[in-house]
Amino acid sequence: MPLDFPLIGARTAIWLAAQLHLFLAAFVLGAPIFIVVSEWLGLRTKDRRYERLAKETMKVVAIAYSLTAIFGVLFAFVLMGPYQPVANYLFKALYPVWMWYGVFILLETICMYLYWYTWEPLNRSLAGKWTHIGIGVLLNVLGTIVMLLMNAVTGFMNTPPKAIETAGLWTMVNNAAWWPLNLHRFLGNITFGGFVVALFAAFMFLTSKKEEDRAFYDWMGYIGNLIGVGALITMPLAGYILSKELFIYDAQLATFMMADKLSGYFVMQGLLVVLLFLGANFYMWLSMQRIEGAARFAPHMKAIFAVLLAGGVVWVVPQNFFPDLLAKPPAGVSEHALILPERFAFLGLMVAKALAVTAIIIMTFVTYLLYRRARATGRILWGGIDPMSQYVLIFIPAVAVYLMGLMGAIRSLTRMDYHIYGAVKDVTPYWYTATLGHSSIMVAIATVVFFLLVAFVFWVGFVIGKTDE
Amino acid sequence: MARGLLKNIAALASGAAVFLLAAALLAWMIARVAEHPGVPRDAGKPPPWFTGEAGAVRETLEHSPVAPAPATGAQSGAAATGGDFVEVAGGSIEIALTEYEMKPGRIRTKPGTVVFVLRNEGRFAHNFHVEGPGVDTTAEKFSPGRTVRLQVTLQQGEYKISCPLSNHDQRGMHGTLIATSRPAGRLTADERR
């Protein structure tokens, strides 16, 4: 190991830099997708709220874009210092990918600034508006290409071609994890973008003094949450596809993830996903209170939450309480005391988990259907929502950000003691698999810092100059 | 005027308090995960049964799973014979299944009807598959702590026994059973194959 990082160590440093870069990147890649859709909806429906949603979100994206680049550079610095051998290997093996990455980042940045700064000038005519939407579409295409290029590098580290010495560039790019990762991250970015928009709306709702603004941010929070939850429901399938590819690539990866060192992470994942769904459903029920005549649906809430909680309990029950396959019970404790009793063993099986998650998703649909029914028969009083709902809109992104960080840690830790699985060993003092406790704190740090950064972005973009408007 | 000033001061104080709280929380968490070898950690050493031995996982993945399990000799009516095969007189063959091995993993018995007595001594569900001359059968999947029985009729020859669940077989959960009426250590060329 050529260098180490003072005080906190190289792994902690690169973990934080990479994770924060990814959080911000997920937002600046995901949000523009529905910014453009929202702008188009505004043009089509003449509802000015869509235009305002698109523009205000784009302002947040424009500020967050610089932070993304800064953390990207910090990530690269740590990579070039303590992790120089693997950086060298990656640059050498995938040099054209890095070169094109630079080109597309440049094009994306130009397009992003063009999209943001031409908003007003191109808003004056219909042709101008369509041109602006066209720039937005191009921005998304370029952003997606950037994501595909970096996913190739990430996938290569997880699942490099077996005959790595003789593999060509395309074989290395088109590795086993590449497309599953592309799908997973594309959907994840939309989820993330939706939730951050909801977070922004909650922040603005709570700091707004005008009724009109509150009504708008109430609506915006609802839309952001809807997009986030809508994309979130597809994520388990995308995650399954990624895991399946890892399994096919090397079966021992699956055991390492699901039954060995990382199995506890998946129990934690279950808990977090359940919290997300509980939060999303709770928000919808609070939303229903602002619809005239919707009180008649309230009795159904208890039954729905009972199923959600029961599903959640089933999901988080582990098969056993061993942290890994090699762990032994403490002296004097029988091994069977740490294994689920026979009569409850079915709760630890995948089939029970699958049923639980299906029940949770169905109940979430039922909540949304009841909401739609209430909306069809009563008027929505935007802005009249219980302020508690806005704290739920802060809670949901907090859980989503944490979940994303933890899942990222799992993907990274499946490489075991390799930088590039099976090809480049991690010979640093930090080669070992982090415990769940360690990873949990690392992800918590990244989540808190991300929220501080986002609060800074909102404050700079919308609070400082507010009195002048 | 004074009320406005007080409100601003209160807002500033709350902002500063939140920031300081976040900073203190971050500092505490960073101290918990600091990994530099020169930095003393207050996290304390977790008990070995909790963490497992550092490096043990990798070593296991690289070396141990493919190695056949040593015969335990605990088999009733069984005795270690030439090589590392366990000789079982017939009737019932007891096999313990754990992650990821079968004990014993190399068995020699006489042709005829035998009953496999399969004990799951591991932490995950397992199954048992036996395949060879005239036999290709699988037991029912069974949970930790349970014992199941599987009756098969063996002909002369070599059989593969394995756990067909997930990738358990690939991880080393398999073995060999030879059905022969010859004395131990004298296998025909066909049986060796």
Side-chain angles (χ1 to χ4, degrees), chain B residues 88 101 115 121:
Chain B
V88 181
E101 57 184 345
V115 176
E121 293 183 355

Side-chain angles (χ1 to χ4, degrees), chain A residues 336-392:
Chain A
H336 287 288
L338 297 173
I339 297 173
L340 215 54
E342 175 71 27
R343 62 183 177 280
F344 296 124
F346 68 96
L347 291 175
L349 301 177
M350 276 307 286
V351 65
K353 315 287 183 199
L355 281 173
V357 73
T358 307
I360 289 172
I361 290 174
I362 288 172
M363 284 302 117
T364 307
F365 270 122
V366 170
T367 299
Y368 275 83
L369 287 175
L370 290 174
Y371 182 90
R372 280 175 65 89
R373 201 163 162 199
R375 203 179 59 178
T377 51
R379 194 165 62 93
I380 305 175
L381 305 168
W382 291 111
I385 196 165
D386 186 338
M388 193 205 289
S389 64
Q390 304 307 303
Y391 295 103
V392 179

Side-chain angles (χ1 to χ4, degrees), chain B:
Chain B
M1 177 84 175
R3 203 177 157 191
L5 187 70
L6 272 175
K7 218 172 163 183
N8 282 343
I9 291 170
L12 198 69
S14 331
V18 168
F19 180 76
L20 284 174
L21 205 67
L25 180 68
L26 282 173
W28 176 77
M29 289 195 293
I30 287 172
R32 296 280 295 181
V33 293
E35 288 191 299
H36 192 273
V39 177
R41 299 185 57 189
D42 67 344
K45 199 177 172 212
W49 64 266
F50 187 83
T51 53
E53 241 176 88
V57 168
R58 192 64 216 163
E59 282 164 24
T60 307
L61 293 173
E62 282 174 354
H63 305 298
S64 73
V66 287
T72 58
Q75 191 85 2
S76 62
T81 62
D84 52 358
F85 276 84
V86 169
E87 188 88 20
V88 181
S92 88
I93 301 175
E94 288 181 25
I95 299 178
L97 291 84
T98 60
E99 288 77 37
Y100 287 99
E101 57 184 345
M102 294 191 175
K103 294 177 185 172
R106 289 156 81 80
I107 303 162
R108 192 204 313 263
T109 189
K110 289 192 170 64
T113 300
V114 294
V115 176
F116 289 100
V117 181
L118 308 158
R119 287 192 319 277
N120 185 345
E121 293 183 355
R123 293 170 191 166
F124 301 109
H126 291 298
N127 202 343
F128 185 80
H129 177 70
V130 53
E131 187 181 0
V135 179
D136 184 1
T137 185
T138 306
E140 288 290 320
K141 186 168 82 172
F142 53 113
S143 310
R146 281 192 63 193
T147 299
V148 299
R149 285 173 170 75
L150 178 70
Q151 183 175 310
V152 294
T153 302
L154 302 171
Q155 297 172 14
Q156 189 98 352
E158 184 173 318
Y159 293 82
K160 182 190 175 186
I161 52 173
S162 61
C163 172
L165 282 189
S166 184
N167 63 340
H168 296 187
D169 183 6
Q170 291 156 284
R171 299 209 66 190
M173 211 165 165
H174 54 243
T176 306
L177 183 145
I178 294 175
T180 176
S181 47
R182 291 168 192 278
R186 295 192 182 181
L187 303 180
T188 64
D190 280 349
E191 285 166 355
R192 283 182 198 285
R193 268 200 298 278

Side-chain angles (χ1 to χ4, degrees), chain A residues 107-119:
Chain A
L107 292 174
E108 190 201 3
T109 308
I110 291 170
C111 202
M112 193 278 296
Y113 283 116
L114 207 60
Y115 185 60
W116 174 234
Y117 284 102
T118 59
W119 203 296

